[in-house]
Amino acid sequence: MQGNTPAAADDPLAKISAVITLYEEMASKLREGCKRPQVDGITGYHEFPKLAEAYESRARAYREAAEQLRRPMEALPPHMAEKERLALQSAFGGLAQVKGGAKLVSSKAVEGVKGCL
């Protein structure tokens, strides 16, 4: 595996790169194995191309993930952040109104019960 230094051991991109390399190497070896004469006692030669494709597909997926991690994260555009803030404010404001209404109803109920006594 690549990067045996302590810093590389903690670097997710270095780990992903090592996994990509392993998948690509295995796919290459499987494709080479298809071209060689079959050895007695080894089975599954017909599956080598399918396995090679699967390993290449995984390598592509890891490469795409690495590309995503290399890009800096983008913040929400200001207009979207403002919409989010207003939605939260509205939701919490509505919750406060519901709580206030519940208090008013319960106090009116208590007054009504006291009036009956």
Side-chain angles (χ1 to χ4, degrees):
M1 265 172 89
Q2 300 174 350
N4 291 330
T5 64
D10 293 335
D11 180 16
L13 288 174
K15 290 179 181 182
I16 291 172
S17 179
V19 169
I20 292 168
T21 301
L22 288 174
Y23 275 130
E24 288 174 341
E25 288 174 358
M26 291 307 301
S28 176
K29 289 180 183 191
L30 285 166
R31 293 206 185 277
E32 288 174 20
C34 291
K35 296 175 186 174
R36 295 187 183 150
Q38 293 187 10
V39 177
D40 288 338
I42 296 180
T43 59
Y45 278 92
H46 64 284
E47 293 180 10
F48 285 8
K50 188 168 77 171
L51 290 170
E53 288 176 24
Y55 288 163
E56 289 165 345
S57 175
R58 290 176 186 169
R60 280 191 301 275
Y62 275 98
R63 193 173 289 109
E64 289 173 17
E67 286 301 315
Q68 292 289 328
L69 289 172
R70 284 187 186 101
R71 288 189 211 134
M73 291 182 61
E74 297 177 10
L76 285 175
H79 68 279
M80 289 184 72
E82 180 65 12
K83 284 181 183 177
E84 190 72 19
R85 184 190 66 76
L86 290 173
L88 288 171
Q89 185 178 16
S90 174
F92 284 115
L95 183 61
Q97 287 177 348
V98 168
K99 285 183 179 178
K103 284 182 183 177
L104 178 64
V105 168
S106 67
S107 67
K108 292 290 185 186
V110 168
E111 286 177 17
V113 169
K114 284 182 181 176
C116 293
L117 297 175

